[in-house]
Amino acid sequence: MHWRVLMMVWRRKLYVMGCVTVLVVAAWGWATFSLIGTPTTTDDGVRTLEGTHTESQGFWQRLTIFRRDPKPSSDSGVKFLKPTGNIPPKPQSESMMSKLDNLFSSKYVEKLRSLKVPDREDIAWRRKAIEQRAAADKQMYYDHELQRMGVPVIKGIGPDSGLSPPKQRLVHLDLKGAPPKIQYLKRLIPILKSLGATGLLLEYEDMFPYTGQLAGIAARNAYARNRLTDFLQTVKAAGLTVMPLVQTFGHMEFVLKLREFQDMREKPESPQALCPSFNKSLLFIEEMLSQVINFHMKIDDSATMDEDGGTASLKPHFRAIHIGCDEVYRMGECPRCRDKSKHELFLSHVSAVATRIKSRWPGLDVVIWDDMMRQIQVLDLQDFKLGDLVQPMVWVYAEDVYRFVSPQTFDKYSMVFPTAWAASAFKGAHGETLVLPPSRRHLENTLKWLTVIQSENSRFKAGIQGLALTGWQRYDHFAVLCELLPAALPSLAVSLATASMGRLEVNGHKNAILSALSCPEKSAESLHRRPWLDFHQDPDMSFFAWCMFPGSTVFRYSHRLLTAVAESRDYVENIKYKRGWLTDYNIKHNFTSPVRVTELVEHATKLKGSLITLAKNASDVMMDIYDKFTIEEFIEQRINPVVDELNGLLLAASRLGAVKVWPRRPLPYIRVITDTKSLTNSTKKSTH
């Protein structure tokens, strides 16, 4: 019963809906017909539409529904004539289509014809404007990417800045500390070549295999002559030049520390500089230079066989010798030198050394560090004719180059020297005990040097020769180790590639740095979220730990060690200086709360264990790169002091925990040495 009622209801609904639809369609058709009107024929034989909306007539005519009929209908019997007289003006409100008709009328055509056709100058100007706008957009994108990476934007550096890279890019290998094995150095040569290096600046110090009367100044683990020859031949085969660096004035500690050479010191208690007025000094320097230069000359003279058995035509890889002469702190203090000024002593010694080199090896250029000449007047430099003898290498490792070497200094040098060199740093310049280099500072230093070279190059007749990227391993012969070479290799790669390109590469896809260091390729999505180099969130460039470059294990190890050492030292500082139960006062007086001490040193054992594990792993990580002497020195300098601090806390805690009875206050005062005289006397007693 119910379904019949429902069916009847639905039938009525469908009937009503059908009636409504018919009415709506009829109303729409009537409205459309009334708006368009009916077609009629005008006096000039044009069929038009009658109706109130005359603006739609042009629409129908353009749709060719009603066309002009040249012949009137014969059925009407009426002759149609073309109207005479003036055509009445068009109404003020023209339709849109009428406006389009007027646009292409004769007066607009005449205007188009009257327009001037651009000549070649106009086309060239417009093309230049487009290129400038594209270059500006490119530079804006480049600056934006630098800001994302945390790299400072430096004026004059960009994709279309026209900045030329230095003609020569030398990589400095400081071998006076942590000298790598020859096998490891040979593996670095193709990487340095691919990053744009043109040569090496090799500072041997006591690692050169001296012979004869100089055999005693060589270190006990100095390079063997055959191994060093093999390395230099590899460098030559790669097309790289070699510039040996031999100190000849200051930084002579590796020689003057020895008993048999202490008489050449400028000041008896300091082995830093030799006496330039002592004849033995000049003879010694000449012999030392002779051994190094002749050794490298033999590499150039030796025939190199190519794959076909013929002699390969390679340019000489040994063209210049660097004689140091930086930071000569001791001058004019010995009896032989007191009657001369420091400037005269310096210039006369440099002139004597360079003159002997030029006389024995005429085709060899002589390079020196510039810092000792910055305060010397132009006339003094010209009087000793240094411009004909040496080439200055201007070194600044800070971000602001002009703060230390002003444009006036470059102007002074250009009056004396026809050419010069520049030197930046990729490690060993911002802290004597660093484990990892501050790569961002080194990169900014390199970028600033690029702009300085571009600005100062035209001052010199032969321009600026190139840029040396220095990587110091010790601040001097007696200092501890700086950042190890493998730990600083990413910093070197970033700075070297930047110097070779004239700007930092912001593209993470086609990147010579990532390719040279065998880094995994990043996806476009990850590069969109975060640039390939991000100093904001990763100042130590830890993402290079994913790369597989030679020595990457040492790079990863250095990061782990840095974290463990920082955690341990923060812990010790907190216990000794921020908590109140295990300070030096508590330890001296054996006066503290044993319960509190036990709580404080619970974490010390765990930290000590992690450091001991790192010390044991050091040998496995470094054995392919360094000898046992370097590994032992590294452990003794980086890990043992922290372990000793933790051991001291544990020992003190054990001793304090054994105390069961404590004295009444006030505690006895322990006297502290406050005057220099008491300190000197106590030192003398301890030495005896």
Side-chain angles (χ1 to χ4, degrees):
M1 184 67 180
H2 293 286
W3 66 271
R4 291 182 180 179
V5 174
L6 291 175
M7 182 174 292
M8 184 175 60
V9 172
W10 275 107
R11 284 177 180 175
R12 288 182 180 181
K13 285 184 179 181
L14 291 174
Y15 175 76
V16 172
M17 291 174 61
C19 293
V20 171
T21 302
V22 171
L23 290 175
V24 171
V25 172
W28 178 79
W30 176 82
T32 304
F33 181 78
S34 63
L35 288 173
I36 296 177
T38 58
T40 61
T41 305
T42 61
D43 294 340
D44 57 355
V46 178
R47 299 180 70 194
T48 62
L49 297 172
E50 290 182 351
T52 57
H53 298 274
T54 57
E55 292 184 1
S56 60
Q57 295 175 10
F59 170 74
W60 287 103
Q61 290 171 7
R62 285 169 179 78
L63 290 180
T64 67
I65 297 176
F66 302 101
R67 303 179 182 176
R68 181 182 298 276
D69 192 355
K71 295 181 180 180
S73 175
S74 58
D75 298 337
S76 61
V78 180
K79 183 178 181 181
F80 289 88
L81 298 176
K82 187 175 182 179
T84 59
N86 296 328
I87 300 175
K90 295 183 178 179
Q92 292 293 333
S93 57
E94 295 180 328
S95 65
M96 182 61 69
M97 299 308 300
S98 299
K99 292 179 181 179
L100 291 175
D101 286 343
N102 292 335
L103 182 62
F104 295 100
S105 63
S106 59
K107 62 179 181 180
Y108 289 100
V109 173
E110 291 298 330
K111 284 185 178 181
L112 291 173
R113 289 178 178 175
S114 63
L115 291 177
K116 181 181 178 183
V117 178
D119 54 13
R120 292 183 178 180
E121 294 183 359
D122 292 337
I123 294 174
W125 181 85
R126 292 177 183 177
R127 183 181 292 114
K128 185 178 181 180
I130 294 173
E131 292 175 353
Q132 290 177 348
R133 178 59 184 272
D137 292 341
K138 211 173 184 180
Q139 183 67 38
M140 187 179 300
Y141 170 77
Y142 180 78
D143 294 344
H144 172 71
E145 289 299 305
L146 288 182
Q147 292 173 355
R148 287 183 64 205
M149 298 166 72
V151 178
V153 176
I154 299 175
K155 185 179 180 181
I157 294 182
D160 296 322
S161 61
L163 190 147
S164 301
K167 291 180 288 186
Q168 297 190 53
R169 284 87 57 188
L170 305 182
V171 175
H172 172 234
L173 297 179
D174 184 12
L175 304 176
K176 67 175 174 283
K181 293 181 178 179
I182 293 296
Q183 303 97 299
Y184 178 75
L185 292 176
K186 290 173 65 175
R187 293 177 63 191
L188 293 184
I189 298 304
I191 296 177
L192 300 180
K193 180 71 174 181
S194 66
L195 290 170
T198 62
L200 299 180
L201 177 62
L202 291 178
E203 183 166 2
Y204 292 107
E205 205 191 57
D206 57 355
M207 289 303 295
F208 185 82
Y210 292 102
T211 59
Q213 60 181 343
L214 301 185
I217 68 175
R220 288 183 288 111
N221 62 334
Y223 292 120
R225 298 181 76 86
N226 60 335
R227 304 301 301 275
L228 188 58
T229 299
D230 181 34
F231 170 67
L232 293 176
Q233 288 177 343
T234 302
V235 174
K236 180 181 178 181
L240 300 179
T241 62
V242 169
M243 182 188 295
L245 194 160
V246 180
Q247 290 287 359
T248 58
F249 204 166
H251 287 297
M252 294 291 294
E253 298 94 342
F254 74 105
V255 173
L256 301 179
K257 70 178 182 180
L258 302 174
R259 186 182 304 276
E260 55 268 35
F261 299 108
Q262 64 178 341
D263 58 339
M264 294 190 299
R265 298 176 187 173
E266 174 67 18
K267 200 169 181 62
E269 62 270 20
S270 174
Q272 199 270 338
L274 53 75
C275 173
S277 303
F278 192 25
N279 291 334
K280 182 180 176 181
S281 299
L282 196 58
L283 294 174
F284 172 83
I285 293 299
E286 185 176 5
E287 175 61 23
M288 188 168 58
L289 288 170
S290 177
Q291 290 196 23
V292 174
I293 292 175
N294 289 333
F295 184 83
H296 286 79
M297 285 287 186
K298 291 178 180 178
I299 306 298
D300 266 350
D301 295 339
S302 62
T304 304
M305 307 301 291
D306 57 22
E307 295 179 355
D308 298 331
T311 302
S313 58
L314 294 174
K315 295 180 179 179
H317 87 306
F318 177 43
R319 307 170 188 171
I321 179 76
H322 199 306
I323 60 172
C325 299
D326 62 314
E327 298 177 336
V328 187
Y329 298 130
R330 299 290 187 179
M331 278 192 298
E333 299 184 21
C334 75
R336 303 184 190 91
C337 301
R338 288 174 184 169
D339 297 335
K340 300 178 183 179
S341 67
K342 291 185 177 180
H343 291 171
E344 182 182 358
L345 287 169
F346 180 81
L347 294 175
S348 61
H349 179 73
V350 170
S351 176
V353 173
T355 300
R356 298 205 177 193
I357 295 174
K358 289 288 188 180
S359 61
R360 293 186 60 179
W361 303 279
L364 205 59
D365 293 331
V366 181
V367 181
I368 65 168
W369 298 117
D370 82 298
D371 54 297
M372 298 302 297
M373 298 187 295
R374 294 175 188 175
Q375 306 302 324
I376 301 178
Q377 300 298 321
V378 175
L379 293 178
D380 294 334
L381 295 172
Q382 292 174 340
D383 288 343
F384 283 88
K385 299 180 179 180
L386 284 195
D388 300 329
L389 298 174
V390 299
Q391 300 173 1
M393 182 173 280
V394 187
W395 63 274
V396 176
Y397 306 146
E399 293 86 342
D400 188 359
V401 175
Y402 280 134
R403 177 185 173 188
F404 296 91
V405 182
S406 64
Q408 291 76 16
T409 303
F410 282 102
D411 188 45
K412 178 182 71 175
Y413 288 163
S414 66
M415 297 178 186
V416 180
F417 306 101
T419 187
W421 292 76
S424 63
F426 68 90
K427 80 179 187 75
H430 297 294
E432 297 92 333
T433 61
L434 291 180
V435 176
L436 293 171
S439 303
R440 182 189 177 280
R441 297 190 64 184
H442 292 302
L443 174 60
E444 186 175 354
N445 172 237
T446 301
L447 289 170
K448 288 292 183 65
W449 261 119
L450 293 179
T451 60
V452 171
I453 292 173
Q454 185 79 357
S455 301
E456 307 297 338
N457 184 65
S458 59
R459 293 182 188 268
F460 297 89
K461 295 179 182 178
I464 294 180
Q465 290 294 311
L467 177 70
L469 289 87
T470 61
W472 303 99
Q473 194 56 72
R474 302 184 197 272
Y475 272 48
D476 63 29
H477 183 77
F478 293 110
V480 297
L481 297 174
C482 299
E483 311 95 308
L484 296 178
L485 179 59
L489 200 57
S491 175
L492 170 59
V494 172
S495 294
L496 178 56
T498 299
S500 303
M501 182 180 286
R503 60 183 175 88
L504 175 63
E505 178 59 74
V506 298
N507 187 354
H509 289 296
K510 299 178 181 179
N511 195 302
I513 301 171
L514 300 178
S515 176
L517 297 184
S518 301
C519 299
E521 185 176 354
K522 293 189 175 184
S523 64
E525 182 180 355
S526 64
L527 290 173
H528 178 73
R529 293 194 309 266
R530 183 177 176 182
W532 73 270
L533 185 64
D534 189 357
F535 287 116
H536 292 298
Q537 301 183 20
D538 188 13
D540 293 327
M541 299 196 303
S542 60
F543 77 94
F544 278 108
W546 296 96
C547 306
M548 299 302 295
F549 56 88
S552 59
T553 55
V554 176
F555 181 79
R556 290 187 285 272
Y557 176 85
S558 299
H559 277 268
R560 294 198 305 271
L561 176 63
L562 189 65
T563 302
V565 169
E567 184 181 1
S568 299
R569 285 193 164 149
D570 289 344
Y571 171 79
V572 172
E573 182 181 1
N574 181 61
I575 296 299
K576 295 189 67 174
Y577 302 105
K578 296 181 181 180
R579 305 302 298 271
W581 295 275
L582 202 54
T583 65
D584 290 341
Y585 179 85
N586 300 114
I587 296 172
K588 288 177 182 177
H589 291 278
N590 288 329
F591 194 79
T592 189
S593 169
V595 176
R596 291 285 192 176
V597 170
T598 303
E599 294 175 353
L600 289 176
V601 298
E602 283 181 350
H603 194 50
T605 304
K606 180 180 178 181
L607 293 174
K608 176 184 172 182
S610 63
L611 288 172
I612 292 176
T613 301
L614 285 171
K616 292 179 180 178
N617 293 340
S619 179
D620 296 334
V621 171
M622 300 182 185
M623 63 184 303
D624 292 335
I625 302 174
Y626 296 110
D627 57 21
K628 67 173 185 176
F629 305 108
T630 298
I631 298 173
E632 291 171 353
E633 181 183 5
F634 181 84
I635 294 173
E636 187 174 357
Q637 293 176 4
R638 301 298 187 191
I639 301 178
N640 287 357
V642 188
V643 174
D644 291 342
E645 290 179 358
L646 294 173
N647 280 333
L649 285 180
L650 291 172
L651 183 62
S654 176
R655 189 175 71 249
L656 291 172
V659 178
K660 303 302 180 183
V661 179
W662 297 269
R664 293 187 300 167
R665 291 186 183 277
L667 301 179
Y669 174 70
I670 298 178
R671 188 176 66 88
V672 179
I673 297 175
T674 57
D675 60 300
T676 309
K677 186 175 180 180
S678 301
L679 181 63
T680 305
N681 293 334
S682 63
T683 305
K684 289 181 179 179
K685 290 179 181 179
S686 62
T687 54
H688 293 297

